[in-house]
Amino acid sequence: MSAIFKKGEVITNDYFTGIAYLEMLVPEGTEYNCPIGNVTFEPGARNNWHTHDGGQILLVTSGEGYYQEEGKPAQKLQAGDVITIPANLKHWHGATRDSEFVHLAITTNPQKGGTNWLEPVSDTQYNAL
């Protein structure tokens, strides 16, 4: 799979299942007020349920993945898809079982706060997709 942006470093926190990478393209705290990260999920990798105090936009650049809002069915995503996530909406995103998944994560309204990490997406939930 060809990459548009650098893959970055392995994410080493407890908010992901599987292996994911992050390369910040526009870092937090810059004059642009719009942090942008390139996130790469290996097949089967996903993040925990979470919310964003100021919202988020995902721009899918390659592979196949899932996006799910609490109480709704998961959506399958592919290159070219755009997801707009309102502030404080509980959701998760990650790769399908058999494909890498890459998206740009744009933090909107970062002055309102950050990411609020919640419980992991269980294997049972994920494997039902």
Side-chain angles (χ1 to χ4, degrees), residues 39-87:
V39 184
T40 303
F41 296 87
E42 288 192 357
R46 58 199 181 267
N47 54 32
N48 287 8
W49 288 96
H50 61 285
T51 65
H52 302 278
D53 293 332
Q56 185 180 52
I57 299 169
L58 304 179
L59 305 175
V60 181
T61 59
S62 69
E64 291 185 332
Y66 297 114
Y67 167 77
Q68 185 174 17
E69 297 175 359
E70 184 178 39
K72 295 185 178 179
Q75 301 174 46
K76 195 165 188 181
L77 303 177
Q78 59 188 8
D81 287 337
V82 176
I83 299 293
T84 54
I85 306 165

Side-chain angles (χ1 to χ4, degrees), residues 51-56 84-91 108-109 112:
T51 65
H52 302 278
D53 293 332
Q56 185 180 52
T84 54
I85 306 165
N88 304 310
L89 178 70
K90 187 175 176 181
H91 68 284
T108 57
N109 307 298
K112 292 185 177 181

Side-chain angles (χ1 to χ4, degrees), residues 18-29:
I19 299 172
Y21 304 83
L22 173 64
E23 176 69 18
M24 288 305 296
L25 304 176
V26 178
E28 293 184 40

